[in-house]
Amino acid sequence: MNLKKYLFVGAALMSVSFFAACSDDENEPQNPPVEEPDEPNGDDPEGPVSLEDQWNNTNTVTWPADTIINLTEHYTVPEGKTLIIKEGVQIIASTEGVGANLLPVEFTVNGNLYCEGTEEKPILFSIPEAERTEANTFAGLWGGIVAGTTCEEMLIDHTIIEYTGGDVLEGAPAAQAGYYEAGDDAYPQITTNNVNGNYVITNSILRNGVSDAIYMMGGNAIIMNNLFIANGETGEEAVNVKSGCQVDVVGNVMFAPNTNALKLSSSDQSDVRPQAKIQAYNNTIINAGWRRDSDKGGGIYAEENVSVHVYNNLLVNCKFRAMTPGLDNLHNIEGGYDEANSTIDYNYYASGSQEVDPSYVYEQDINYSWEGYNYDHEDYDTERVDLNSVIATQDDSKDPQFANFDINTTSLTSYTYDDSWDFHLTASSPALEGAYSANASDMAPLFGTTGLTVNGETYTTPAPQPYFGAYGAE
């Protein structure tokens, strides 16, 4: 996968208008025809129809490759129906707002969604091009993808989702469905809610959002080989998992999440929302936590009876190392993580020499990553966590020797991603050795053998690799 190719999409694209289509078989996919710009509607008595009406007489709609879909209203994939988005499609959400309350445009999935982008032609969920500016990084200009309790399957492959995080307001579909509270929440880029749903998010870029990149309140998921950039403005994460979820998080690069790259919890666990179980390994996490002005943040956070196996991750210039709050009340949905069924170890913490921007003031007076790693934090489980991890000190940075990323130069609070960076390891990198390499069954991926079936295809999680981080040697 070449993530660099995602950042600028220059393919020629065409707009489409949808016409009413009839079929003798309502299960037959309907591909909306392209409207010729200089031709009348001819004998078509109905003319163009709304995006909502395209679902008439069909259970499957396909948006053809290289088309532009302009959303000025909320969009919904109805329960029991399927939307297939082909490569090169651009879904452009208006920033003008919907209705009297000027609600952010929301993309709701009550059925199935299959985003089938390619490396050469990724799918784009964004806003009008003129508004894709650095000033709007955390402007929260639309509502993101909200998969509801009836969404059974979702594939996000080679897809860019950006400039999300609008406030959930009164009358918003997500508020009416009870997924979020009006006035209290902002939209993540992707939300899931079905504890029985299957979700695969791979080869994609999730960037520039006010809230979390992925917020899972239910489902089985493989989250692999993605690039996360600038997720969260004031207190949010790259991947945030709650009860009712089983998730593999593998091979991702996570740059500058506001608080944590991985916030793992089994909050709200119940008979219908079982314990959250997460396997997270071989991820590269950079600059996590520094934009969160508190004692939280730094990369990995496990709490509230979650069962996790977090290992072989490479953390660079993060504010803290792995935290497990509630140590005086372990294995409790209102306290600490499930320590008896968890492993957080064999991680690699590297620190550059740069000091944090003095305008950021932290309660612990931490100014360097190595300082946070070695701080006597009440949420560090020193009896069980990171006993075999590699941890930088003031005198030993543990520089992983990336192919093209100087750990001493990028500001700790920066969230601007450089397309030229290369997080492969050089042949002499110390991060190529010392990772977990045994084959204990509890450390294996949840979906490494049986996989997850989405749209008839079975996706399996790759096996753990015997090095730290997302990429091995260049």
Side-chain angles (χ1 to χ4, degrees):
M1 179 184 66
N2 186 351
L3 287 168
K4 297 176 184 177
K5 293 186 179 180
Y6 293 133
L7 301 181
F8 300 98
V9 182
L13 300 167
M14 56 185 175
S15 296
V16 297
S17 295
F18 294 103
F19 293 79
C22 298
S23 170
D24 294 332
D25 182 359
E26 67 175 9
N27 292 310
E28 180 180 342
Q30 298 299 302
N31 298 326
V34 176
E35 181 183 12
E36 298 295 336
D38 297 323
E39 296 293 331
N41 289 333
D43 295 330
D44 181 5
E46 299 186 30
V49 299
S50 69
L51 288 171
E52 181 180 350
D53 288 342
Q54 70 184 282
W55 293 105
N56 294 342
N57 306 312
T58 186
N59 284 336
T60 301
V61 165
T62 299
W63 290 349
D66 300 325
T67 60
I68 295 176
I69 308 297
N70 291 296
L71 299 182
T72 58
E73 302 285 339
H74 302 308
Y75 182 81
T76 300
V77 180
E79 180 178 353
K81 300 199 175 188
T82 295
L83 174 64
I84 301 172
I85 303 178
K86 305 303 286 187
E87 69 275 10
V89 172
Q90 291 191 23
I91 300 92
I92 307 302
S94 169
T95 62
E96 298 300 315
V98 178
N101 286 350
L102 301 180
L103 306 175
V105 170
E106 183 179 319
F107 194 101
T108 302
V109 184
N110 292 328
N112 300 321
L113 172 66
Y114 306 129
C115 294
E116 301 176 347
T118 65
E119 185 173 316
E120 294 75 20
K121 292 183 177 183
I123 293 164
L124 176 66
F125 283 84
S126 190
I127 57 176
E129 186 173 3
E131 299 178 64
R132 300 173 204 164
T133 64
E134 183 176 356
N136 282 335
T137 298
F138 300 119
L141 295 175
W142 70 288
I145 299 172
V146 181
T149 56
T150 57
C151 173
E152 297 180 350
E153 295 182 357
M154 181 166 62
L155 172 67
I156 306 292
D157 189 2
H158 287 94
T159 299
I160 302 169
I161 307 174
E162 61 185 10
Y163 297 102
T164 59
D167 290 332
V168 179
L169 303 175
E170 194 69 34
Q176 293 177 329
Y179 303 142
Y180 293 114
E181 291 192 24
D184 290 337
D185 294 317
Y187 292 96
Q189 271 131 336
I190 299 173
T191 301
T192 73
N193 288 281
N194 184 358
V195 296
N196 298 311
N198 287 348
Y199 310 113
V200 175
I201 302 168
T202 184
N203 304 318
S204 295
I205 297 176
L206 289 82
R207 65 186 175 197
N208 303 349
V210 171
S211 188
D212 302 320
I214 300 174
Y215 187 63
M216 293 195 64
M217 293 183 281
N220 310 301
I222 298 173
I223 301 172
M224 64 180 179
N225 302 336
N226 301 292
L227 176 58
F228 295 80
I229 304 170
N231 307 120
E233 181 181 23
T234 60
E236 297 78 20
E237 340 289 333
V239 175
N240 191 339
V241 181
K242 305 303 183 187
S243 63
C245 299
Q246 296 190 74
V247 187
D248 287 334
V249 185
V250 182
N252 303 284
V253 172
M254 301 169 168
F255 180 73
N258 176 274
T259 308
N260 294 289
L262 304 169
K263 185 177 182 183
L264 313 175
S265 166
S266 197
S267 62
D268 297 322
Q269 182 178 327
S270 67
D271 291 341
V272 296
R273 297 181 60 83
Q275 181 185 37
K277 297 180 180 180
I278 301 101
Q279 309 290 83
Y281 55 85
N282 288 120
N283 299 288
T284 297
I285 303 168
I286 307 105
N287 275 24
W290 290 104
R291 294 187 293 110
R292 176 69 180 265
D293 192 8
S294 74
D295 62 351
K296 283 188 175 182
I300 301 165
Y301 198 84
E303 62 177 348
E304 297 179 323
N305 199 44
V306 70
S307 173
V308 300
H309 294 87
V310 182
Y311 60 97
N312 290 5
N313 298 292
L314 173 54
L315 293 89
V316 178
N317 292 341
C318 296
K319 189 169 70 172
F320 291 114
R321 52 189 174 92
M323 289 186 177
T324 53
L327 291 172
D328 58 347
N329 190 19
L330 290 170
H331 201 160
N332 191 300
I333 59 173
E334 295 182 354
Y337 74 121
D338 181 1
E339 86 292 354
N341 295 292
S342 296
T343 298
I344 305 175
D345 202 358
Y346 291 95
N347 296 300
Y348 193 111
Y349 299 90
S351 172
S353 59
Q354 64 271 55
E355 185 176 7
V356 72
D357 185 331
S359 65
Y360 285 78
V361 179
Y362 305 101
E363 296 175 15
Q364 298 84 358
D365 193 29
I366 291 170
N367 298 296
Y368 303 89
S369 289
W370 58 263
E371 215 168 24
Y373 298 158
N374 294 279
Y375 182 79
D376 185 18
H377 202 293
E378 64 179 359
D379 292 338
Y380 286 169
D381 185 352
T382 56
E383 295 182 7
R384 287 166 286 260
V385 171
D386 283 330
L387 300 184
N388 296 286
S389 294
V390 177
I391 302 173
T393 64
Q394 182 176 8
D395 299 324
D396 186 356
S397 69
K398 304 296 183 185
D399 189 337
Q401 300 175 25
F402 288 122
N404 187 27
F405 180 80
D406 185 345
I407 71 168
N408 300 297
T409 58
T410 300
S411 168
L412 298 177
T413 55
S414 173
Y415 51 79
T416 302
Y417 190 84
D418 188 333
D419 184 37
S420 70
W421 288 338
D422 185 346
F423 293 106
H424 284 88
L425 304 173
T426 60
S428 60
S429 169
L432 289 171
E433 299 180 351
Y436 178 82
S437 58
N439 295 308
S441 60
D442 62 343
M443 302 288 273
L446 298 171
F447 307 110
T449 302
T450 59
L452 289 178
T453 300
V454 176
N455 197 20
E457 182 173 347
T458 299
Y459 295 81
T460 56
T461 310
Q465 298 300 307
Y467 50 76
F468 297 99
Y471 310 140
E474 59 180 335

